[in-house]
Amino acid sequence: MKKLHLICNAHLDPVWMWDWDDGMATALATFYAACELADEYDYIFCHNEAFLYETVRQNDPALFARIQELVKAGKWHIMGGWYLQPDCNLPSGESFMRQALFGQAYFQKYFAKKPTTAINFDSFGHTRGLVQILKKCGYDSYLFCRPMPEMVPLEDMYFWWEGYDGSRIKACRIEDKSIYCSGLGTAKEDILRKAERWKDKSVGIALWGVGNHGGGASRKDLQDIAQLQKESAYEIVHSTPEAFFAETEPSFVYRRSLTPCLVSCYSSLNRVKQAHIRLENKLYLTEKICALAALNGSRVIDFSAFDDVMRDMLGIEFHDVLSGTCASDGERSCLMKAEHGLKVLDDAFMRAFFALTTVFAAAGEGEYPVFVFNPCAQEIERVVEVEFLLTTVLVSDEEHYEIRASVEGKPVPVQVIKELSNINYDRRKRIAVRVKLRPMGVTRIDCTVEQVKNAPLVWEGDSYVYADEHKRVTIDRKTGCLTSFVCDGKEYLRGASFLPVLFKDNADPWGWEKFAVGEDPQPMRLSPCEKGAFEGLRAVEMIEDGEVLTEIESLFEGGSSAVRVGYKIYKHVPYIDVNVRVFWQEQTKTLKLKIAAGEGGKFVGQAAYGREEFEADGGEKVAQRYVAFGGKEAYLAVLNSGSNGCSKQGGDAYLTLLNGAAYCAHPIGDRPLVPSGRYVPYIEQGAHEFSYRVAVLPENELEREAQLFVQPPYALSVFPHGQGAEPFAAEISEPAVVLTALREQKKGRYMLRLFNGSGESKRAVLRFGGAARILRFGKFEIKTLLFDGKRLVESRKAML
């Protein structure tokens, strides 16, 4: 080796075994110490994470000003440029864009700096989708530490990392027992050990500085390094990640994700994971409807109001929180962030929704208007549910109010289903309507009421079988499971599916040294319904049946827990929904859903702006809003709104729901994971809910349908008072291309992000108001466009 680049840093988790206030206090102390040492020694302090810099700016402006001067002098390096070091598997592709772009905007504003090397030292694996995201955000290189070599072997420590779309960046993995840290006063020994890994290279890199809760450099360490620089046979320089990558030339190309790593964490801390999913999708949905309202002449919110919500979302994505490995106060505070963000978004969404709907013409005599907002830029047919209040009350055991529905005077299928409240008279109505929805806009449904006789629900035989032009579905009354799903004459599921299964596990929420999650599977049994949540009920029962849907619920018990599985079998649409409600009281057990997906074919899952193909080897995998089985003409897709762990071996696939771990139970040698002799709270105990959609889809519709499942059409009964207006129209011709973001940048200027979710090149026509543009996408390509009210212009770089 001729040259070793030293990167002094102070890895600082703002939340982990402590809450955010503790992390902020440590940031102030660490940054102050770094400034003091910079006045005494000739070294470069490198630090990332806009959140921590903002903490200093708000709480110690004088210290912040000192940092700004050191940055100008080249003695303090703005490293990474992201808002935080997030989990690098679970956020959506657009959320990763925001981590980078929001952080870059901060550092550009306060330091006039834009790093070109992204860093995520402590994240537990890295999706391949990051490559294109980084490239589009102006990065050319990536520095990381995990997964370690025993988890994911690599030919060399630095390499070209190739994304799903074929783009490439330089990447380097730091391999050492202290990874991004060095011990207090032991930097010299740590650096020499790390340098050994680069002895056969012309250039090497070593991360040093006390970390894992701040600290950075020390006087002794800086003095020892100065002596080492004089004694060493090779050049040792205080440096930056950018300077290191400028002198490297990778020797091989890596074309996979840098996962798995610590596999249990992807199903730990379920409440935070689901809150994050709700928040990120509500943000992108609300940005879309607010932009659409503005394009229709009603500006309901200043776009900058979304910045606080982005801070909430980006904070929750921190790797020790979203991955599920923080202490209980971190869980509590992140749920507070989510609730704050959701409240802001709910208010903005409703202002935009009313702006789009109240301009419609007033209702006719006896009509109850319902309006449905479709966020998808294509016409779709969906079953939507909505509630409204009738003007009169009916108290009867023989009759009820029935609803009729029409769109533009034409009847559409509608069915009254159980409302959310439980007042035992007939006034509050909940309906399911099957309707075609106009692209990226509002569809009006007019409802009227009539009084009819009650009809009993009838289910005869051991199985419920439903068939239409799309599918054939079988629910077994003896097992409570979905036992067959047939589409276009092909059986995609055959055998007990959505069966809750308990696995033995331990209290470790990370899953250290695990390949699979859980062992010794024990299927839950149908509940005897003798006590607890299901007392007095039937284990398998039809609870809704009509023109639009049939709903069947199955009740299970196992261990100390209970599970309700509900199947909504929609009529004349090509999908069914499965809702799972869990009453969880387990310790050191994992809950999964078994799916009889069959042998052969591909096993794939959604990744950030991409799709990952998995080995069906029984190992725990990480997917986002879908897993799918098959390929060629079609996939059996299981969409979800809040679970990430999955596995497959042979014909059996499993979806991991809950990991019965304790908060922050980190293995330390042979010591017990949790203290004995006292009560210890376990993370997931209590009620949880999971939602899935089962559909057979072509490859080019997987991304769109997954997005629609977490950003579904929204319906509400509104009584308008306008005269009608010509709405702003937005439409994309190609179903593989989805609009992932539509955001007002400033008055009259809008940003659009589009993504080709297909592994093949696609041509799409985008119509946006009076403008139209033909777009050609490579496989899994992201495009950013700008609209000024008249023209659509493609941007070479991503932007907010």
Side-chain angles (χ1 to χ4, degrees), residues 463-475 482-493 569-570 573-574 576 696:
S463 295
Y464 170 82
V465 180
Y466 169 77
D468 61 26
E469 69 274 24
H470 299 291
K471 63 189 180 298
R472 184 176 185 271
V473 181
T474 303
I475 307 292
L482 173 68
T483 54
S484 180
F485 187 85
V486 177
C487 183
D488 295 330
K490 180 179 178 180
E491 190 169 35
Y492 285 86
L493 289 176
I569 303 163
Y570 301 109
V573 293
I576 67 171
V696 174

Side-chain angles (χ1 to χ4, degrees), residues 33 117 216 222 296 300 392 396 400 455 506 550 557 559 580 590 608 626 665 689 758 765 779 786:
T117 298
L222 287 166
N296 277 282
V300 297
T392 58
S396 172
H400 70 280
N506 63 19
T550 296
E557 291 183 15
V580 181
T590 290
Y626 70 75
E689 194 162 354
S758 170
V765 179
K779 64 179 183 178
L786 298 175

Side-chain angles (χ1 to χ4, degrees), residues 92 274 277-285 375 606 624-626 639-643 691 693 703-713:
S92 68
Q274 291 194 343
I277 292 166
R278 288 193 300 272
L279 181 59
E280 69 171 355
N281 284 286
K282 190 61 179 279
L283 172 60
Y284 305 140
L285 182 66
Q606 186 191 39
Q624 293 190 354
R625 305 286 66 83
Y626 70 75
L639 316 178
N640 76 81
S641 64
S643 63
S691 296
R693 175 161 293 170
E703 191 73 24
R704 184 188 73 178
E705 294 304 309
Q707 180 175 293
L708 272 165
F709 193 54
V710 287
Q711 296 180 33

Side-chain angles (χ1 to χ4, degrees), residues 344-393:
V344 172
L345 295 173
D346 280 345
D347 291 346
F349 183 94
M350 291 315 305
R351 289 199 293 273
F353 186 84
F354 288 135
L356 292 173
T357 56
T358 53
V359 298
F360 281 75
E365 183 72 24
E367 287 182 343
Y368 296 84
V370 168
F371 293 90
V372 186
F373 171 63
N374 173 22
C376 177
Q378 285 126 18
E379 182 183 74
I380 55 172
E381 184 176 30
R382 284 295 182 275
V383 173
V384 296
E385 297 183 11
V386 64
E387 291 197 8
F388 51 89
L389 196 68
L390 302 184
T391 55
T392 58
V393 176

Side-chain angles (χ1 to χ4, degrees), residues 224-238:
D224 288 348
I225 291 171
Q227 186 64 33
L228 183 61
Q229 288 175 310
K230 296 176 182 178
E231 299 171 350
S232 177
Y234 45 84
E235 183 183 7
I236 299 177
V237 295
H238 291 291

Side-chain angles (χ1 to χ4, degrees), residues 207-220:
L207 305 182
W208 74 278
V210 180
N212 218 21
H213 197 31
S218 71
R219 286 178 174 83
K220 181 180 184 305

